[in-house]
Amino acid sequence: MISLNQSSMLGCGQTKALLRLRRRSLEAAPRAELVVRCSGVARRGSVAMENASESNGAAAAAAAASVVDTKSAVGGGVQDVYGEDRATEEQHVTPWAVSVASGYSLLRDPHHNKGLAFSEKERDAHYLRGLLPPAVVNQDLQEKKLMHSLRQYKVPLQRYMALMDLQERNERLFYKLLVDNVEELLPVVYTPTVGEACQKYGAIFRRPQGLFISLKEKGKILEVLRNWPEKRIQVIVVTDGERILGLGDLGCQGMGIPVGKLSLYTALGGLRPSACLPITIDVGTNNEQLLKDEFYIGLRQRRATGQEYLELLDEFMAAVKQNYGEKVLIQFEDFANHNAFELLERYSRSHLVFNDDIQGTASVVLAGVVAALKLVGGTLAEHTFLFLGAGEAGTGIAELIALEMSKQTKAPLEESRKKIWLVDSKGLIVDSRKESLQHFKKPWAHEHEPVKNLLDAVKAIKPTVLIGSSGVGRTFTQEVVEAMASFNEKPLILALSNPTSQSECTAEQAYTWSKGRAIFASGSPFDPVEYEGKVFVPGQANNAYIFPGFGLGLVMCGAIRVHDDMLLAASEALAQQVTQEHYDKGLIYPPFTNIRKISAHIAAKVAAKAYELGLASHLPRPENLVEFAESCMYSPLYRSYR
Ligand SMILES: NC(=O)C1=CN([C@@H]2O[C@H](COP(=O)(O)OP(=O)(O)OC[C@H]3O[C@@H](n4cnc5c(N)ncnc54)[C@H](OP(=O)(O)O)[C@@H]3O)[C@@H](O)[C@H]2O)C=CC1
Ligand SMILES: CC(=O)C(=O)O
Ligand SMILES: [Mg+2]
C-alpha cells in the first residue's frame, strides 16, 4: 500500500486519483488520523489507519506503521522529518509520540471535526457517543444553519469573528461556506472587514492563526518554522504589517491579512489549507497609537530598519528554503514600498517569490483594462493612463501595462511608458523631479511642466483611464470625475484603494458624476447603483482574482521562479473569462461566483508559460492543464472516517 505521505509527494492530480482508488478499495472505511504529539502540541501526520477500534488497536498501529513514509527510520512510525532518529546520544531530540485522534480530541480538531455530521457508525468507531446530541445532520444543513446565523449579525466584525471561530472549529465547513457563498463572504474574510479586524486584532485576538516571527526570534527562525504543525507547506503569505491595505502601519496586527489571503488561496484557488502558512514578521511598529494600546499583541518598539531589518529577512528567507525547499511560494503582502521593491528584487533569483501588491494587482488591472477595451474601443496603446498613487500598486500596474503595450506594438518599453502618467503626493511625476524620486518612480518622469494636483493633471493629460492607487479616500472628486467625463464618452475609472473608506470614490459617485457613462470598478466591493432608472453593477478590481489561480499554477507545475510573462498570461486568462453577458452589465471582471473555474484557467495559463520558459519542474507536462488544475483543487466536502 502507498502511504498518504508518499502519495502527497506525487502531483496533486495523481494524489487525488490515488485517494479515490484507496477510498474505493477500502469501501469508504472511516479514516482516523494519527496525531503526533510533541511537548503538548498536536501535530497531524498524514497517515491513514486501517482500523482505529480498541479491539484491534495493535493491528491498527502496525498498519499505520506500515503506511508511513519510507523515510521513517528506527521505529517510531513517524517520518524522521528533523533527523531525530539519526541524532547521536549527545544531541537533543524532540520527544515524539503517536496517538489516535478520537472522542473529545477529534471533536476539538478543526481539520477533522464534522460536528453533528458524524454518522452513527463514526460515532461508534470514534468514541463520540454522548459527546454529541443524537441528531445527525448533513453538511448542507450545517451550512444553511450557519449562513442563517451569520446573517443575523448586523456588525461586519461580528461576522468576521464568527467565521474565524468556525475556521478554528470545523475547517471543512468553513471552506464550504466560503466556496458556496463567495460573493457574500468575501467582504467579510477579506476587504473591507479584514481591515477593521487588523485594526482591532489585539482586542479580538483569541488563538494564533499563523506564525509570528519577531526580532526576539533572530538566530532561531528555523526552529520557529519547525514549531508549525504542518510540514508540507506550498504557499506562505508573509507581511511585516507596515502598509496594511490603505490603513498604514498596523505592526503585528497585520496578521489578519496573510490569514485572509490564504483562506482565499484555499477557497478560490483550491490549495489545501494544510499547505498554506500565514506569517507575520514583527520588527516593531511606528504606530504610536498601537504602541500605547494595552491590548497590542506585537513588539512594543519602533520599527527596526536597515541592516537589522535585512538580516532578519535574510535569515527568514534562508530558513524557509531550508525547511520547505525551493518550490515553496512566498507571497509578500502589504510591506511598505521602501522595502517591498527591494525584497522582491533581492530574492527573485534565489526563491519563488511573488509580491501581490506589485505583481498581482498589475495582472488584475491589466485584465480589467483589456476587457474594458471591448466597451470603450481602441487598442491598449491608443489609451492614455493617469494614476493617482505611484507606489507598489501604481508603478507595478503601470509597468505591466507598458510591457503588454510593447509586446503588442513592438515599440520599445520606454516609448510605451510615455502613454502612462503618475501623480504622487507631490503632484505629477515629471522630469524636473527626477533627481529626488524613489527609484521605482524614475521611469515615469516624463517631460512636462510641474503640475501640483490631480485635477490639474487630469485637465493637462486628458487620460482615457484614471486609476486610483493612493490609499487615500475620496480623492476622485466631483470635478475630477466630471473632467474625465468631459473628454471621454466612456471614462474608465478604477478606484483601487482599500478598504472601502479609502476608495478614491464610491460607485455611486462615479456613475452619478459621469451621468452614467463611467466604466467603474473598485478594490473593495460596492453594491449596485441605480441612476436615472438604470442599474449599474460595479466590478471589483482586486488581486483576489489573480493570486489564488496564479499560485495554484506555480505549485502544480513545480515552478521555481516567477516571470513577468506569467503575470501577462494570468491577466490574459482572466480577461478571457469576461463574457458578453458581463459586458452588457458594464462589468469588466467576471463575477466571483465562478472563481474556481476562473482560477483553473489562470493556473493553466501560468503553468503553460512556466513549461514554455523552462521554469517548471513537474514533468512530464500534463496534456490538459485546465483539467489538471481542477483535479488538484481541495474539496471542502466531508470525508468518511473508517
Ligand atoms: N485593489 C487591489 O487589488 C489593491 C489595492 N491596493 C490599495 O492601493 C493603495 C496603495 O497601495 P500601495 O501602492 O501599495 O501603497 P504605496 O504606499 O506604495 O503607494 C501609495 C502612493 O500614493 C501616493 N499618495 C499618498 N497620498 C496621496 C495623496 N493625497 N495624493 C496623491 N498621492 C498620494 C504616495 O505618494 P508618495 O510616494 O509621494 O508618498 C504613493 O506614491 C492601498 O490602499 C491598497 O489597499 C493595493 C494593492 C492591491
Ligand atoms: C488587495 C490588497 O492586496 C491590498 O489592498 O493591499
Ligand atoms: Mg495587499
Side-chain angles (χ1 to χ4, degrees), residues 11 552-561 563 566 603-625 628:
L552 175 65
L554 296 175
V555 165
M556 77 186 204
C557 72
I560 49 165
R561 297 288 176 267
H563 190 285
M566 298 175 185
K605 285 261 185 195
V606 169
K609 188 53 75 179
Y611 282 109
E612 190 187 315
L613 295 170
L615 292 171
S617 65
H618 287 173
L619 298 169
R621 175 196 191 280
E623 206 164 299
N624 187 329
L625 285 167
F628 183 63

PDB file of all heavy atoms in Angstrom, residues 11 552-561 563 566 603-625 628:
ATOM      1  N   GLY A  11       2.201  14.381  -7.914  1.00  0.00           N
ATOM      2  CA  GLY A  11       1.462  15.551  -8.351  1.00  0.00           C
ATOM      3  C   GLY A  11       0.097  15.501  -7.692  1.00  0.00           C
ATOM      4  O   GLY A  11      -0.390  14.425  -7.358  1.00  0.00           O
ATOM      5  N   LEU A 552      -1.751  28.594  -7.620  1.00  0.00           N
ATOM      6  CA  LEU A 552      -2.054  27.201  -7.969  1.00  0.00           C
ATOM      7  C   LEU A 552      -1.248  26.785  -9.200  1.00  0.00           C
ATOM      8  O   LEU A 552      -0.676  25.690  -9.250  1.00  0.00           O
ATOM      9  CB  LEU A 552      -3.562  27.039  -8.235  1.00  0.00           C
ATOM     10  CG  LEU A 552      -4.013  25.665  -8.715  1.00  0.00           C
ATOM     11  CD1 LEU A 552      -3.783  24.600  -7.643  1.00  0.00           C
ATOM     12  CD2 LEU A 552      -5.490  25.678  -9.119  1.00  0.00           C
ATOM     13  N   GLY A 553      -1.195  27.679 -10.188  1.00  0.00           N
ATOM     14  CA  GLY A 553      -0.437  27.382 -11.407  1.00  0.00           C
ATOM     15  C   GLY A 553       1.030  27.121 -11.102  1.00  0.00           C
ATOM     16  O   GLY A 553       1.627  26.161 -11.613  1.00  0.00           O
ATOM     17  N   LEU A 554       1.610  27.952 -10.239  1.00  0.00           N
ATOM     18  CA  LEU A 554       3.032  27.780  -9.897  1.00  0.00           C
ATOM     19  C   LEU A 554       3.253  26.460  -9.165  1.00  0.00           C
ATOM     20  O   LEU A 554       4.191  25.707  -9.477  1.00  0.00           O
ATOM     21  CB  LEU A 554       3.502  28.929  -8.995  1.00  0.00           C
ATOM     22  CG  LEU A 554       3.491  30.342  -9.587  1.00  0.00           C
ATOM     23  CD1 LEU A 554       3.857  31.364  -8.515  1.00  0.00           C
ATOM     24  CD2 LEU A 554       4.457  30.448 -10.769  1.00  0.00           C
ATOM     25  N   VAL A 555       2.369  26.185  -8.205  1.00  0.00           N
ATOM     26  CA  VAL A 555       2.543  24.983  -7.381  1.00  0.00           C
ATOM     27  C   VAL A 555       2.343  23.716  -8.219  1.00  0.00           C
ATOM     28  O   VAL A 555       3.105  22.757  -8.128  1.00  0.00           O
ATOM     29  CB  VAL A 555       1.559  25.020  -6.179  1.00  0.00           C
ATOM     30  CG1 VAL A 555       1.453  23.665  -5.517  1.00  0.00           C
ATOM     31  CG2 VAL A 555       2.008  26.075  -5.166  1.00  0.00           C
ATOM     32  N   MET A 556       1.325  23.729  -9.070  1.00  0.00           N
ATOM     33  CA  MET A 556       1.008  22.477  -9.774  1.00  0.00           C
ATOM     34  C   MET A 556       2.049  22.103 -10.835  1.00  0.00           C
ATOM     35  O   MET A 556       2.159  20.935 -11.194  1.00  0.00           O
ATOM     36  CB  MET A 556      -0.404  22.525 -10.378  1.00  0.00           C
ATOM     37  CG  MET A 556      -0.534  23.317 -11.630  1.00  0.00           C
ATOM     38  SD  MET A 556      -2.269  23.425 -12.113  1.00  0.00           S
ATOM     39  CE  MET A 556      -2.079  23.710 -13.877  1.00  0.00           C
ATOM     40  N   CYS A 557       2.812  23.101 -11.299  1.00  0.00           N
ATOM     41  CA  CYS A 557       3.842  22.741 -12.282  1.00  0.00           C
ATOM     42  C   CYS A 557       5.224  22.700 -11.627  1.00  0.00           C
ATOM     43  O   CYS A 557       6.217  22.453 -12.293  1.00  0.00           O
ATOM     44  CB  CYS A 557       3.821  23.697 -13.472  1.00  0.00           C
ATOM     45  SG  CYS A 557       4.441  25.328 -13.101  1.00  0.00           S
ATOM     46  N   GLY A 558       5.266  22.969 -10.326  1.00  0.00           N
ATOM     47  CA  GLY A 558       6.553  22.948  -9.635  1.00  0.00           C
ATOM     48  C   GLY A 558       7.466  24.052 -10.127  1.00  0.00           C
ATOM     49  O   GLY A 558       8.669  23.848 -10.325  1.00  0.00           O
ATOM     50  N   ALA A 559       6.887  25.246 -10.312  1.00  0.00           N
ATOM     51  CA  ALA A 559       7.693  26.372 -10.823  1.00  0.00           C
ATOM     52  C   ALA A 559       8.784  26.731  -9.822  1.00  0.00           C
ATOM     53  O   ALA A 559       8.597  26.617  -8.610  1.00  0.00           O
ATOM     54  CB  ALA A 559       6.803  27.579 -11.079  1.00  0.00           C
ATOM     55  N   ILE A 560       9.895  27.166 -10.353  1.00  0.00           N
ATOM     56  CA  ILE A 560      10.987  27.540  -9.451  1.00  0.00           C
ATOM     57  C   ILE A 560      11.207  29.051  -9.392  1.00  0.00           C
ATOM     58  O   ILE A 560      11.820  29.542  -8.457  1.00  0.00           O
ATOM     59  CB  ILE A 560      12.307  26.813  -9.814  1.00  0.00           C
ATOM     60  CG1 ILE A 560      12.588  26.943 -11.308  1.00  0.00           C
ATOM     61  CG2 ILE A 560      12.250  25.350  -9.398  1.00  0.00           C
ATOM     62  CD1 ILE A 560      13.995  26.583 -11.684  1.00  0.00           C
ATOM     63  N   ARG A 561      10.681  29.773 -10.376  1.00  0.00           N
ATOM     64  CA  ARG A 561      10.791  31.234 -10.345  1.00  0.00           C
ATOM     65  C   ARG A 561       9.545  31.840 -10.982  1.00  0.00           C
ATOM     66  O   ARG A 561       8.914  31.236 -11.842  1.00  0.00           O
ATOM     67  CB  ARG A 561      12.009  31.726 -11.164  1.00  0.00           C
ATOM     68  CG  ARG A 561      13.357  31.271 -10.643  1.00  0.00           C
ATOM     69  CD  ARG A 561      13.791  31.958  -9.350  1.00  0.00           C
ATOM     70  NE  ARG A 561      15.055  31.386  -8.897  1.00  0.00           N
ATOM     71  CZ  ARG A 561      15.168  30.375  -8.036  1.00  0.00           C
ATOM     72  NH1 ARG A 561      14.098  29.833  -7.495  1.00  0.00           N
ATOM     73  NH2 ARG A 561      16.360  29.910  -7.690  1.00  0.00           N
ATOM     74  N   HIS A 563       8.033  34.776 -13.434  1.00  0.00           N
ATOM     75  CA  HIS A 563       8.490  35.562 -14.584  1.00  0.00           C
ATOM     76  C   HIS A 563       7.350  36.499 -14.994  1.00  0.00           C
ATOM     77  O   HIS A 563       6.184  36.127 -14.892  1.00  0.00           O
ATOM     78  CB  HIS A 563       8.831  34.581 -15.726  1.00  0.00           C
ATOM     79  CG  HIS A 563       9.528  35.201 -16.886  1.00  0.00           C
ATOM     80  ND1 HIS A 563       8.875  35.986 -17.813  1.00  0.00           N
ATOM     81  CD2 HIS A 563      10.829  35.158 -17.275  1.00  0.00           C
ATOM     82  CE1 HIS A 563       9.740  36.393 -18.716  1.00  0.00           C
ATOM     83  NE2 HIS A 563      10.938  35.915 -18.415  1.00  0.00           N
ATOM     84  N   MET A 566       4.459  35.303 -16.953  1.00  0.00           N
ATOM     85  CA  MET A 566       3.411  34.542 -16.255  1.00  0.00           C
ATOM     86  C   MET A 566       2.312  35.493 -15.784  1.00  0.00           C
ATOM     87  O   MET A 566       1.141  35.141 -15.770  1.00  0.00           O
ATOM     88  CB  MET A 566       3.988  33.804 -15.051  1.00  0.00           C
ATOM     89  CG  MET A 566       5.040  32.763 -15.391  1.00  0.00           C
ATOM     90  SD  MET A 566       5.691  32.114 -13.830  1.00  0.00           S
ATOM     91  CE  MET A 566       6.969  31.044 -14.428  1.00  0.00           C
ATOM     92  N   ALA A 603      -4.498  29.290 -13.607  1.00  0.00           N
ATOM     93  CA  ALA A 603      -3.437  28.339 -13.240  1.00  0.00           C
ATOM     94  C   ALA A 603      -2.888  27.650 -14.492  1.00  0.00           C
ATOM     95  O   ALA A 603      -1.662  27.495 -14.644  1.00  0.00           O
ATOM     96  CB  ALA A 603      -3.986  27.303 -12.260  1.00  0.00           C
ATOM     97  N   ALA A 604      -3.795  27.266 -15.373  1.00  0.00           N
ATOM     98  CA  ALA A 604      -3.368  26.548 -16.582  1.00  0.00           C
ATOM     99  C   ALA A 604      -2.460  27.428 -17.444  1.00  0.00           C
ATOM    100  O   ALA A 604      -1.418  26.982 -17.938  1.00  0.00           O
ATOM    101  CB  ALA A 604      -4.595  26.100 -17.373  1.00  0.00           C
ATOM    102  N   LYS A 605      -2.865  28.688 -17.612  1.00  0.00           N
ATOM    103  CA  LYS A 605      -2.058  29.598 -18.458  1.00  0.00           C
ATOM    104  C   LYS A 605      -0.689  29.874 -17.818  1.00  0.00           C
ATOM    105  O   LYS A 605       0.315  29.978 -18.501  1.00  0.00           O
ATOM    106  CB  LYS A 605      -2.784  30.936 -18.633  1.00  0.00           C
ATOM    107  CG  LYS A 605      -3.949  30.878 -19.588  1.00  0.00           C
ATOM    108  CD  LYS A 605      -3.555  31.402 -20.952  1.00  0.00           C
ATOM    109  CE  LYS A 605      -4.795  31.437 -21.840  1.00  0.00           C
ATOM    110  NZ  LYS A 605      -4.481  31.586 -23.235  1.00  0.00           N
ATOM    111  N   VAL A 606      -0.709  30.023 -16.494  1.00  0.00           N
ATOM    112  CA  VAL A 606       0.547  30.308 -15.784  1.00  0.00           C
ATOM    113  C   VAL A 606       1.482  29.101 -15.897  1.00  0.00           C
ATOM    114  O   VAL A 606       2.674  29.226 -16.198  1.00  0.00           O
ATOM    115  CB  VAL A 606       0.260  30.664 -14.302  1.00  0.00           C
ATOM    116  CG1 VAL A 606       1.537  30.703 -13.482  1.00  0.00           C
ATOM    117  CG2 VAL A 606      -0.474  31.999 -14.219  1.00  0.00           C
ATOM    118  N   ALA A 607       0.920  27.922 -15.677  1.00  0.00           N
ATOM    119  CA  ALA A 607       1.736  26.707 -15.761  1.00  0.00           C
ATOM    120  C   ALA A 607       2.249  26.512 -17.189  1.00  0.00           C
ATOM    121  O   ALA A 607       3.421  26.170 -17.393  1.00  0.00           O
ATOM    122  CB  ALA A 607       0.924  25.504 -15.300  1.00  0.00           C
ATOM    123  N   ALA A 608       1.367  26.752 -18.165  1.00  0.00           N
ATOM    124  CA  ALA A 608       1.795  26.583 -19.568  1.00  0.00           C
ATOM    125  C   ALA A 608       2.992  27.492 -19.851  1.00  0.00           C
ATOM    126  O   ALA A 608       3.969  27.086 -20.494  1.00  0.00           O
ATOM    127  CB  ALA A 608       0.637  26.911 -20.507  1.00  0.00           C
ATOM    128  N   LYS A 609       2.913  28.719 -19.336  1.00  0.00           N
ATOM    129  CA  LYS A 609       4.020  29.661 -19.552  1.00  0.00           C
ATOM    130  C   LYS A 609       5.294  29.169 -18.844  1.00  0.00           C
ATOM    131  O   LYS A 609       6.391  29.254 -19.391  1.00  0.00           O
ATOM    132  CB  LYS A 609       3.593  31.055 -19.054  1.00  0.00           C
ATOM    133  CG  LYS A 609       4.526  32.173 -19.375  1.00  0.00           C
ATOM    134  CD  LYS A 609       4.893  32.298 -20.842  1.00  0.00           C
ATOM    135  CE  LYS A 609       3.787  32.895 -21.695  1.00  0.00           C
ATOM    136  NZ  LYS A 609       4.177  33.038 -23.119  1.00  0.00           N
ATOM    137  N   ALA A 610       5.098  28.617 -17.641  1.00  0.00           N
ATOM    138  CA  ALA A 610       6.269  28.120 -16.902  1.00  0.00           C
ATOM    139  C   ALA A 610       6.930  26.977 -17.675  1.00  0.00           C
ATOM    140  O   ALA A 610       8.169  26.911 -17.772  1.00  0.00           O
ATOM    141  CB  ALA A 610       5.842  27.659 -15.511  1.00  0.00           C
ATOM    142  N   TYR A 611       6.121  26.080 -18.227  1.00  0.00           N
ATOM    143  CA  TYR A 611       6.700  24.983 -19.034  1.00  0.00           C
ATOM    144  C   TYR A 611       7.425  25.553 -20.251  1.00  0.00           C
ATOM    145  O   TYR A 611       8.541  25.148 -20.569  1.00  0.00           O
ATOM    146  CB  TYR A 611       5.605  24.003 -19.472  1.00  0.00           C
ATOM    147  CG  TYR A 611       5.179  23.055 -18.356  1.00  0.00           C
ATOM    148  CD1 TYR A 611       3.934  23.173 -17.748  1.00  0.00           C
ATOM    149  CD2 TYR A 611       6.035  22.042 -17.915  1.00  0.00           C
ATOM    150  CE1 TYR A 611       3.551  22.315 -16.722  1.00  0.00           C
ATOM    151  CE2 TYR A 611       5.661  21.181 -16.888  1.00  0.00           C
ATOM    152  CZ  TYR A 611       4.420  21.318 -16.292  1.00  0.00           C
ATOM    153  OH  TYR A 611       4.059  20.478 -15.279  1.00  0.00           O
ATOM    154  N   GLU A 612       6.774  26.525 -20.905  1.00  0.00           N
ATOM    155  CA  GLU A 612       7.372  27.122 -22.111  1.00  0.00           C
ATOM    156  C   GLU A 612       8.719  27.784 -21.790  1.00  0.00           C
ATOM    157  O   GLU A 612       9.665  27.695 -22.570  1.00  0.00           O
ATOM    158  CB  GLU A 612       6.374  28.172 -22.625  1.00  0.00           C
ATOM    159  CG  GLU A 612       6.676  28.752 -23.977  1.00  0.00           C
ATOM    160  CD  GLU A 612       5.684  29.889 -24.254  1.00  0.00           C
ATOM    161  OE1 GLU A 612       4.468  29.729 -24.007  1.00  0.00           O
ATOM    162  OE2 GLU A 612       6.157  30.957 -24.699  1.00  0.00           O
ATOM    163  N   LEU A 613       8.800  28.413 -20.612  1.00  0.00           N
ATOM    164  CA  LEU A 613      10.028  29.128 -20.243  1.00  0.00           C
ATOM    165  C   LEU A 613      11.073  28.213 -19.597  1.00  0.00           C
ATOM    166  O   LEU A 613      12.147  28.664 -19.209  1.00  0.00           O
ATOM    167  CB  LEU A 613       9.698  30.259 -19.256  1.00  0.00           C
ATOM    168  CG  LEU A 613       8.825  31.404 -19.782  1.00  0.00           C
ATOM    169  CD1 LEU A 613       8.378  32.309 -18.637  1.00  0.00           C
ATOM    170  CD2 LEU A 613       9.596  32.218 -20.828  1.00  0.00           C
ATOM    171  N   GLY A 614      10.718  26.950 -19.454  1.00  0.00           N
ATOM    172  CA  GLY A 614      11.653  26.021 -18.813  1.00  0.00           C
ATOM    173  C   GLY A 614      11.764  26.244 -17.315  1.00  0.00           C
ATOM    174  O   GLY A 614      12.772  25.912 -16.691  1.00  0.00           O
ATOM    175  N   LEU A 615      10.724  26.805 -16.714  1.00  0.00           N
ATOM    176  CA  LEU A 615      10.762  27.089 -15.276  1.00  0.00           C
ATOM    177  C   LEU A 615       9.914  26.113 -14.462  1.00  0.00           C
ATOM    178  O   LEU A 615       9.751  26.280 -13.261  1.00  0.00           O
ATOM    179  CB  LEU A 615      10.278  28.525 -15.013  1.00  0.00           C
ATOM    180  CG  LEU A 615      11.204  29.633 -15.513  1.00  0.00           C
ATOM    181  CD1 LEU A 615      10.540  31.002 -15.393  1.00  0.00           C
ATOM    182  CD2 LEU A 615      12.528  29.618 -14.745  1.00  0.00           C
ATOM    183  N   ALA A 616       9.348  25.109 -15.142  1.00  0.00           N
ATOM    184  CA  ALA A 616       8.507  24.139 -14.428  1.00  0.00           C
ATOM    185  C   ALA A 616       9.307  22.874 -14.161  1.00  0.00           C
ATOM    186  O   ALA A 616      10.064  22.421 -15.019  1.00  0.00           O
ATOM    187  CB  ALA A 616       7.277  23.811 -15.257  1.00  0.00           C
ATOM    188  N   SER A 617       9.120  22.316 -12.960  1.00  0.00           N
ATOM    189  CA  SER A 617       9.917  21.126 -12.634  1.00  0.00           C
ATOM    190  C   SER A 617       9.088  19.843 -12.558  1.00  0.00           C
ATOM    191  O   SER A 617       9.647  18.771 -12.427  1.00  0.00           O
ATOM    192  CB  SER A 617      10.643  21.352 -11.302  1.00  0.00           C
ATOM    193  OG  SER A 617       9.700  21.454 -10.260  1.00  0.00           O
ATOM    194  N   HIS A 618       7.756  19.961 -12.580  1.00  0.00           N
ATOM    195  CA  HIS A 618       6.949  18.734 -12.563  1.00  0.00           C
ATOM    196  C   HIS A 618       6.786  18.214 -13.990  1.00  0.00           C
ATOM    197  O   HIS A 618       6.051  18.789 -14.789  1.00  0.00           O
ATOM    198  CB  HIS A 618       5.561  19.000 -11.957  1.00  0.00           C
ATOM    199  CG  HIS A 618       5.604  19.202 -10.470  1.00  0.00           C
ATOM    200  ND1 HIS A 618       4.519  19.589  -9.734  1.00  0.00           N
ATOM    201  CD2 HIS A 618       6.632  19.068  -9.585  1.00  0.00           C
ATOM    202  CE1 HIS A 618       4.869  19.696  -8.452  1.00  0.00           C
ATOM    203  NE2 HIS A 618       6.140  19.395  -8.347  1.00  0.00           N
ATOM    204  N   LEU A 619       7.468  17.132 -14.263  1.00  0.00           N
ATOM    205  CA  LEU A 619       7.464  16.597 -15.622  1.00  0.00           C
ATOM    206  C   LEU A 619       6.939  15.156 -15.607  1.00  0.00           C
ATOM    207  O   LEU A 619       7.101  14.470 -14.600  1.00  0.00           O
ATOM    208  CB  LEU A 619       8.874  16.645 -16.206  1.00  0.00           C
ATOM    209  CG  LEU A 619       9.461  18.056 -16.327  1.00  0.00           C
ATOM    210  CD1 LEU A 619      10.945  18.008 -16.661  1.00  0.00           C
ATOM    211  CD2 LEU A 619       8.720  18.885 -17.376  1.00  0.00           C
ATOM    212  N   PRO A 620       6.288  14.672 -16.635  1.00  0.00           N
ATOM    213  CA  PRO A 620       6.005  15.396 -17.870  1.00  0.00           C
ATOM    214  C   PRO A 620       4.857  16.383 -17.674  1.00  0.00           C
ATOM    215  O   PRO A 620       4.091  16.277 -16.728  1.00  0.00           O
ATOM    216  CB  PRO A 620       5.581  14.269 -18.823  1.00  0.00           C
ATOM    217  CG  PRO A 620       4.988  13.227 -17.935  1.00  0.00           C
ATOM    218  CD  PRO A 620       5.759  13.299 -16.649  1.00  0.00           C
ATOM    219  N   ARG A 621       4.755  17.329 -18.615  1.00  0.00           N
ATOM    220  CA  ARG A 621       3.706  18.337 -18.549  1.00  0.00           C
ATOM    221  C   ARG A 621       2.356  17.654 -18.793  1.00  0.00           C
ATOM    222  O   ARG A 621       2.203  16.927 -19.784  1.00  0.00           O
ATOM    223  CB  ARG A 621       3.968  19.365 -19.654  1.00  0.00           C
ATOM    224  CG  ARG A 621       2.919  20.435 -19.829  1.00  0.00           C
ATOM    225  CD  ARG A 621       3.137  21.085 -21.196  1.00  0.00           C
ATOM    226  NE  ARG A 621       2.372  22.288 -21.413  1.00  0.00           N
ATOM    227  CZ  ARG A 621       1.089  22.312 -21.755  1.00  0.00           C
ATOM    228  NH1 ARG A 621       0.399  21.190 -21.885  1.00  0.00           N
ATOM    229  NH2 ARG A 621       0.491  23.472 -21.982  1.00  0.00           N
ATOM    230  N   PRO A 622       1.388  17.864 -17.909  1.00  0.00           N
ATOM    231  CA  PRO A 622       0.062  17.289 -18.165  1.00  0.00           C
ATOM    232  C   PRO A 622      -0.500  17.861 -19.464  1.00  0.00           C
ATOM    233  O   PRO A 622      -0.276  19.037 -19.772  1.00  0.00           O
ATOM    234  CB  PRO A 622      -0.775  17.752 -16.970  1.00  0.00           C
ATOM    235  CG  PRO A 622       0.205  18.175 -15.941  1.00  0.00           C
ATOM    236  CD  PRO A 622       1.426  18.629 -16.662  1.00  0.00           C
ATOM    237  N   GLU A 623      -1.230  17.028 -20.195  1.00  0.00           N
ATOM    238  CA  GLU A 623      -1.703  17.477 -21.501  1.00  0.00           C
ATOM    239  C   GLU A 623      -2.750  18.577 -21.356  1.00  0.00           C
ATOM    240  O   GLU A 623      -2.646  19.636 -21.954  1.00  0.00           O
ATOM    241  CB  GLU A 623      -2.293  16.289 -22.243  1.00  0.00           C
ATOM    242  CG  GLU A 623      -2.216  16.466 -23.739  1.00  0.00           C
ATOM    243  CD  GLU A 623      -2.450  15.137 -24.419  1.00  0.00           C
ATOM    244  OE1 GLU A 623      -1.654  14.199 -24.172  1.00  0.00           O
ATOM    245  OE2 GLU A 623      -3.441  15.059 -25.145  1.00  0.00           O
ATOM    246  N   ASN A 624      -3.769  18.295 -20.520  1.00  0.00           N
ATOM    247  CA  ASN A 624      -4.830  19.288 -20.344  1.00  0.00           C
ATOM    248  C   ASN A 624      -4.636  19.992 -18.994  1.00  0.00           C
ATOM    249  O   ASN A 624      -4.986  19.464 -17.938  1.00  0.00           O
ATOM    250  CB  ASN A 624      -6.192  18.593 -20.401  1.00  0.00           C
ATOM    251  CG  ASN A 624      -7.324  19.600 -20.390  1.00  0.00           C
ATOM    252  OD1 ASN A 624      -7.208  20.679 -19.808  1.00  0.00           O
ATOM    253  ND2 ASN A 624      -8.423  19.256 -21.036  1.00  0.00           N
ATOM    254  N   LEU A 625      -4.065  21.172 -19.064  1.00  0.00           N
ATOM    255  CA  LEU A 625      -3.685  21.855 -17.815  1.00  0.00           C
ATOM    256  C   LEU A 625      -4.888  22.385 -17.039  1.00  0.00           C
ATOM    257  O   LEU A 625      -4.845  22.483 -15.820  1.00  0.00           O
ATOM    258  CB  LEU A 625      -2.699  22.986 -18.122  1.00  0.00           C
ATOM    259  CG  LEU A 625      -1.277  22.518 -18.458  1.00  0.00           C
ATOM    260  CD1 LEU A 625      -0.449  23.650 -19.061  1.00  0.00           C
ATOM    261  CD2 LEU A 625      -0.570  21.978 -17.211  1.00  0.00           C
ATOM    262  N   PHE A 628      -6.193  19.445 -15.241  1.00  0.00           N
ATOM    263  CA  PHE A 628      -5.235  19.098 -14.188  1.00  0.00           C
ATOM    264  C   PHE A 628      -5.386  20.051 -13.001  1.00  0.00           C
ATOM    265  O   PHE A 628      -5.416  19.627 -11.841  1.00  0.00           O
ATOM    266  CB  PHE A 628      -3.804  19.145 -14.739  1.00  0.00           C
ATOM    267  CG  PHE A 628      -2.772  18.721 -13.733  1.00  0.00           C
ATOM    268  CD1 PHE A 628      -2.766  17.425 -13.225  1.00  0.00           C
ATOM    269  CD2 PHE A 628      -1.824  19.612 -13.265  1.00  0.00           C
ATOM    270  CE1 PHE A 628      -1.826  17.031 -12.273  1.00  0.00           C
ATOM    271  CE2 PHE A 628      -0.885  19.228 -12.318  1.00  0.00           C
ATOM    272  CZ  PHE A 628      -0.892  17.932 -11.819  1.00  0.00           C
TER     273      PHE A 628
END
